[in-house]
């Protein structure tokens, strides 16, 4: 059994026109020490999934069905007080925009030290020193001085390092990194990703890396889960998925990665993520799919195993195999 | 080489936020002047027994209703009490009462407003309807009614002024809370397992302070004015305690007989003080504007 097992997760957001199904029947699992890439374009439900695992979906959003098991315990049925003690301690989140995730009126040091006080039961002074160590570990130069500064005095990369240091403060079993490299230039992004990878191996924490960048996934993750319109369309090892992308959406994503080694025209994916209000009973990718069949209109494809640890949700498997062959 | 680099001074970062504030304040003579007025008044109020030339309650029928002379710089009243000394002693009540009531309203209003804004839902609905009920009364009419009902002791006047102000702070902080609770740092505070009260008090309230300070300063002027008006109507501070509004009221009865100094000076003091508070409030609004941050 894996460290984290999400099954049948369904999240609705209430709107005036009815519920929007942001995540539908999602199954996911991550083992200790594993890095799972959760990819998909904007609005595909990646971040909602991340926040659902922490049970931090706020109204009008609501987790309707499903279970999120950490070490076999279903987090969705825990009392709020227990859940609060899991957040930050056993599951940590690296937020999307590090600069705005730091409180502008509290010094970096106070924010970090507080975590050690909260989860480590340390004295104020000891917590402060642990904070300096934590910053040192993630490669923040001049950590002792940074502790006394405010978020606006730090660079974007340093802010992200601070966020990672804070997420790791309590040595969590699961780290959810929500697009940790958005807004950072490539060299800083590469270092942040390297840092995550290194921490995964060193602490044995499971990492869910939410991103829309397949390049990042190829470089950092062990396994990938591709989301489209709130559903999982394909999951597998990075190797299998890049060598044989069986879902037309995954293929389209792979084809939209710019290459420098070959002269290939970039192919944009036609259309946009369909509206999830009154979602069709059939396949949600149908309108954008080149291989759409008649069954796709009526029946939702299930996530079927095609190979060991490679699962795809598509009716047109034959056409897909032909396309990658 | 590295040694030389680390040895370089870092002037911009060594200066604290207060120093930066002071630098900007110096460029704003109006606010600085207003601040000076309040500082001087406060010092005078604290040192009243030392600064005042006479005992404010000592009567002397021989010099009753004397116009300003070298001895009694601002003249005397019907009982021959020195008006300057009375104005100086009155500064104590006239600063302490608005200050105490504003401070009380601020703390209570901030807490209730934070609860209302952060929790939302029915809690918010109930609190907001209550706030609207209080605000439905014109503030001064409400203050008059409350002092008339409670009796006009100093404690009751503070209470009354606080009650008329509290709804303003509740609304202000509620609005700020609605804004900051959606900020990512609020989300981040939740993701690390902080309890709600801590998120509100430690993480969110400090981010709501600037508009609160501005409002409080403006409210000081308003509270002083309300108190003076209450006293003028005989619902505030009672004689023989000196208070500017009450002194103006006494002076007003002499308007037709020509003893102008009795209402002009207390009136001027009230005007100057209220104006000073309002100017400071205005200045602070500019000073605390986030768009002004970093401007040197």
């Amino acid at each position: 059994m894996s460290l984290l097992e999400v099954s049948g997760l369904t999240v609705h957001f209430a709107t005036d026109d009815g519920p929007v199904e942001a995540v539908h029947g999602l199954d996911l699992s991550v083992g200790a020490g594993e890095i799972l890439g959760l990819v998909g374009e904007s609005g595909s439900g990646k971040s909602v999934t991340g926040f659902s695992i922490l049970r931090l979906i706020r109204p009008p959003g609501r987790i309707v069905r499903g279970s999120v098991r950490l070490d076999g315990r279903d987090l969705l049925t825990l009392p709020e007080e227990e859940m609060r003690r899991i957040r930050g301690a056993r599951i940590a989140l690296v937020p999307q925009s590090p600069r705005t995730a730091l409180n502008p009126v509290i010094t970096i040091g106070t924010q970090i030290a507080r975590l050690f006080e909260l989860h480590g039961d340390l004295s104020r002074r000891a917590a402060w020193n642990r904070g300096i160590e934590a910053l040192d570990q993630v490669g923040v130069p001049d950590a002792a001085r940074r502790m006394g500064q405010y978020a606006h005095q730090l660079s974007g990369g340093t802010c992200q390092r601070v966020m990672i240091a804070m997420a790791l403060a309590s040595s969590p079993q699961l780290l959810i990194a929500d697009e940790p490299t958005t807004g950072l230039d490539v060299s800083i992004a590469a270092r942040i990703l390297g840092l995550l990878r290194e921490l995964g191996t060193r602490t044995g924490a499971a990492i869910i890396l939410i991103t829309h960048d397949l390049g990042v996934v190829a470089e950092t993750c062990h396994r990938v889960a591709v989301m489209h319109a709130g559903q999982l369309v394909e999951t597998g090892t990075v190797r299998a998925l890049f060598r044989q992308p069986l879902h037309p959406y995954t293929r389209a994503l792979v084809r939209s990665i710019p290459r420098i080694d070959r002269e290939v025209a970039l192919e944009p994916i036609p259309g946009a993520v369909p509206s999830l209000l009154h979602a069709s009973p059939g396949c949600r990718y149908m309108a954008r799919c080149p291989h759409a069949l008649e069954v796709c209109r009526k029946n939702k494809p299930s996530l079927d195993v095609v190979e060991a640890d490679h699962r795809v949700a598509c009716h047109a498997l034959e056409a897909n195999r032909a396309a990658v062959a | 080489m590295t040694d030389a680099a680390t040895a370089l001074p870092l002037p911009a970062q060594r200066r604290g936020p207060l120093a930066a504030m002071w630098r900007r304040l110096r460029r704003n003579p109006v606010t600085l002047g207003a601040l000076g007025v309040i500082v001087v008044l406060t010092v005078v109020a604290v040192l009243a027994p030392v600064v005042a030339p006479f005992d404010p309650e000592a009567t002397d029928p021989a010099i009753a209703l004397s116009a300003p002379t070298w001895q009694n710089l601002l003249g005397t009243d019907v009982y021959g009490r020195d008006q300057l000394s009375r104005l100086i002693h009155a500064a104590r009540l006239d600063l302490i009462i608005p200050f105490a009531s504003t401070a009380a309203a601020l703390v209570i209003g901030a807490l209730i407003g934070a609860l209302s804004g952060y929790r939302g839902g029915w809690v918010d609905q109930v609190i907001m309807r209550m706030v609207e009920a209080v605000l439905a009364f014109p503030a001064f009419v409400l203050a008059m009614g409350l002092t008339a009902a409670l009796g006009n002791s100093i404690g009751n006047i503070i209470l009354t002024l606080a009650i008329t102000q509290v709804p303003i702070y509740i609304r202000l902080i509620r609005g700020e809370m609605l804004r900051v609770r959606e900020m990512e740092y609020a989300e981040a505070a939740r993701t690390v397992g902080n309890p709600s009260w801590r998120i509100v008090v430690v993480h969110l309230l400090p981010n709501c302070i600037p508009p609160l300070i501005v409002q409080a300063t403006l409210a000081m002027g308003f509270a002083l004015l309300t108190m003076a008006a209450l006293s003028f109507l005989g619902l505030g501070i009672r004689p023989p305690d000196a208070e500017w509004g009450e002194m103006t009221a006494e002076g007003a009865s002499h308007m037709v007989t020509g003893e102008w100094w009795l209402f002009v000076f207390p009136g001027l003091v009230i005007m100057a003080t209220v104006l000073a508070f309002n100017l400071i409030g205005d200045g602070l609004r500019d000073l605390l504007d986030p768009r002004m941050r970093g401007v040197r």
Side-chain angles (χ1 to χ4, degrees), chain B residues 9-99:
Chain B
L10 298 155
Q13 278 154 3
R14 295 292 148 148
R15 281 181 288 200
L18 280 177
M21 195 122 169
W22 172 242
R23 262 200 318 283
R24 259 184 287 147
L25 192 60
R26 263 191 328 205
R27 301 257 222 85
N28 192 336
V30 176
T31 312
L32 203 60
L35 200 63
V37 169
I38 299 300
V39 169
V40 168
L41 260 177
T42 311
V43 171
V44 165
V46 170
L47 301 177
V50 186
V51 197
F54 297 99
D55 176 348
E57 288 173 21
T59 57
D60 184 356
I63 52 164
L65 286 180
S66 120
T69 59
W70 281 116
Q71 172 140 45
N72 304 98
L73 281 174
L74 300 182
T76 61
D77 64 6
V78 224
Y79 308 107
R81 294 178 295 194
D82 178 51
Q83 178 148 245
L84 178 61
S85 306
R86 286 182 68 70
L87 283 176
I88 289 174
H89 277 266
R92 301 184 136 188
L93 281 180
D94 278 291
L95 289 180
I96 279 216
I97 293 178
F99 183 78

Side-chain angles (χ1 to χ4, degrees), chain A:
Chain A
M1 196 191 58
S2 303
L3 174 74
L4 177 83
E5 302 226 352
V6 177
S7 70
L9 182 72
T10 301
V11 182
H12 284 183
F13 281 80
T15 67
D16 290 342
D17 302 318
V20 167
E21 246 186 19
V23 176
H24 181 89
L26 187 97
D27 297 331
L28 213 62
S29 71
V30 203
E34 188 176 46
I35 304 182
L36 172 78
L38 192 57
V39 288
E41 61 204 297
S42 302
S44 57
K46 306 174 305 250
S47 297
V48 172
T49 305
F51 275 93
S52 301
I53 293 171
L54 277 164
R55 226 173 81 187
L56 278 173
I57 296 290
R58 304 201 329 130
R62 197 165 63 87
I63 299 172
V64 185
R65 269 188 303 280
S67 65
V68 175
R69 290 180 190 282
L70 183 75
D71 266 344
R73 253 201 323 173
D74 189 356
L75 301 183
L76 299 186
T77 57
L78 285 185
E80 176 58 30
E81 185 56 25
E82 257 179 80
M83 190 61 215
R84 190 173 71 68
R85 265 182 257 132
I86 287 178
R87 284 181 205 129
R90 299 181 60 193
I91 308 178
L93 181 100
V94 178
Q96 218 168 79
S97 34
R99 200 185 288 279
T100 52
L102 286 165
N103 198 316
V105 301
I106 306 178
T107 59
I108 303 298
T110 312
Q111 292 184 62
I112 296 191
R114 162 71 188 147
L115 288 172
F116 289 110
E117 273 178 67
L118 189 74
H119 296 300
D121 253 344
L122 292 175
S123 74
R124 198 155 279 224
R125 178 147 212 106
W128 187 270
N129 290 331
R130 278 293 299 280
I132 299 179
E133 277 171 41
L135 286 187
D136 254 338
Q137 265 168 27
V138 296
V140 172
D142 208 358
R145 190 167 64 89
R146 295 286 179 216
M147 292 286 278
Q149 294 187 321
Y150 294 89
H152 70 271
Q153 294 170 298
L154 308 183
S155 71
T158 308
C159 279
Q160 192 57 283
R161 282 168 195 266
V162 170
M163 290 317 299
I164 292 177
M166 287 173 78
L168 295 172
S170 52
S171 2
Q173 292 168 286
L174 174 67
L175 186 70
I176 302 173
D178 191 356
E179 309 207 10
T181 55
T182 356
L184 301 181
D185 67 61
V186 267
S187 63
I188 306 288
R191 269 191 270 168
I192 295 285
L193 292 172
L195 184 66
L196 280 181
R197 227 174 10 224
E198 180 201 319
L199 291 166
T201 32
R202 198 173 65 206
T203 64
I207 299 177
I208 297 180
L209 181 65
I210 299 174
T211 176
H212 50 247
D213 187 344
L214 277 180
V216 165
V217 170
E219 213 174 301
T220 318
C221 303
H222 305 122
R223 276 174 53 235
V224 200
V226 181
M227 282 188 81
H228 177 263
Q231 290 174 323
L232 219 52
V233 294
E234 185 164 6
T235 119
T237 60
V238 167
R239 177 174 279 269
L241 206 114
F242 276 88
R243 189 171 285 176
Q244 203 181 23
L246 283 177
H247 195 280
Y249 180 60
T250 316
R251 267 205 306 286
L253 284 180
V254 171
R255 271 200 303 266
S256 60
I257 307 174
R259 311 270 311 227
I260 48 168
D261 53 343
R262 260 186 272 159
E263 189 85 18
V264 202
L266 283 185
E267 279 183 52
I269 307 173
V273 177
S275 160
L276 299 179
L277 191 68
H278 315 302
S280 91
C283 175
R284 289 180 180 177
Y285 189 61
M286 196 190 149
R288 312 168 76 180
C289 184
H291 307 293
L293 304 171
E294 200 43 48
V295 275
C296 302
R297 191 182 304 281
K298 301 253 167 50
N299 297 325
K300 209 165 267 184
S302 57
L303 198 63
D304 293 327
V305 180
V306 288
E307 226 178 278
D309 205 19
H310 189 174
R311 296 190 294 165
V312 181
C314 186
H315 289 304
L317 264 187
E318 292 318 308
N320 288 324
R321 285 194 195 281
V324 288

Side-chain angles (χ1 to χ4, degrees), chain B residues 85-274:
Chain B
S85 306
R86 286 182 68 70
L87 283 176
I88 289 174
H89 277 266
R92 301 184 136 188
L93 281 180
D94 278 291
L95 289 180
I96 279 216
I97 293 178
F99 183 78
S101 62
T102 303
L106 191 126
V107 172
I108 297 167
L111 292 178
I112 298 179
L115 173 74
S116 186
Y118 190 76
R119 278 292 299 277
W122 67 268
V123 178
D124 184 36
Q125 290 297 319
V126 170
I127 292 174
M128 279 305 108
R129 294 301 84 76
M130 279 160 52
V131 162
E132 277 155 24
V134 178
L135 284 175
F137 294 97
F140 188 67
V141 174
L142 180 66
M144 270 171 62
L146 283 171
T147 40
L150 297 170
N152 47 356
S153 68
I154 290 178
N156 283 341
I157 291 170
I158 293 176
L159 182 67
T160 298
L161 293 176
I163 291 174
T164 54
Q165 283 187 56
V166 144
I168 301 167
Y169 295 107
I170 295 180
R171 276 198 165 178
L172 187 75
I173 288 301
R174 171 183 178 268
E176 284 293 302
M177 258 313 148
L178 289 179
R179 179 178 67 84
V180 296
R181 75 166 190 200
E182 303 300 334
M183 294 304 221
E184 274 200 51
Y185 52 79
E187 198 74 72
R190 281 189 282 272
T191 62
V192 295
N194 276 296
S196 297
W197 69 264
R198 205 189 147 88
I199 293 174
V200 170
V201 176
V202 178
H203 295 263
L204 301 186
L205 269 183
N207 281 291
C208 307
I209 284 177
L212 204 61
I213 293 178
V214 172
Q215 177 59 40
T217 320
L218 296 172
M220 282 285 291
F222 175 77
L224 171 59
L225 211 53
T226 309
M227 178 180 66
L230 284 176
S231 306
F232 188 90
L233 295 177
L235 289 165
I237 304 298
R238 280 172 299 191
D241 283 343
E243 193 280 330
W244 299 335
E246 172 249 318
M247 290 173 71
T248 317
E250 263 181 51
S253 57
H254 294 275
M255 206 182 280
V256 277
T257 47
E259 285 90 14
W260 56 271
W261 59 92
L262 287 180
F263 59 89
V264 166
F265 292 120
L268 277 179
V269 173
I270 294 175
M271 197 186 81
T273 314
V274 173

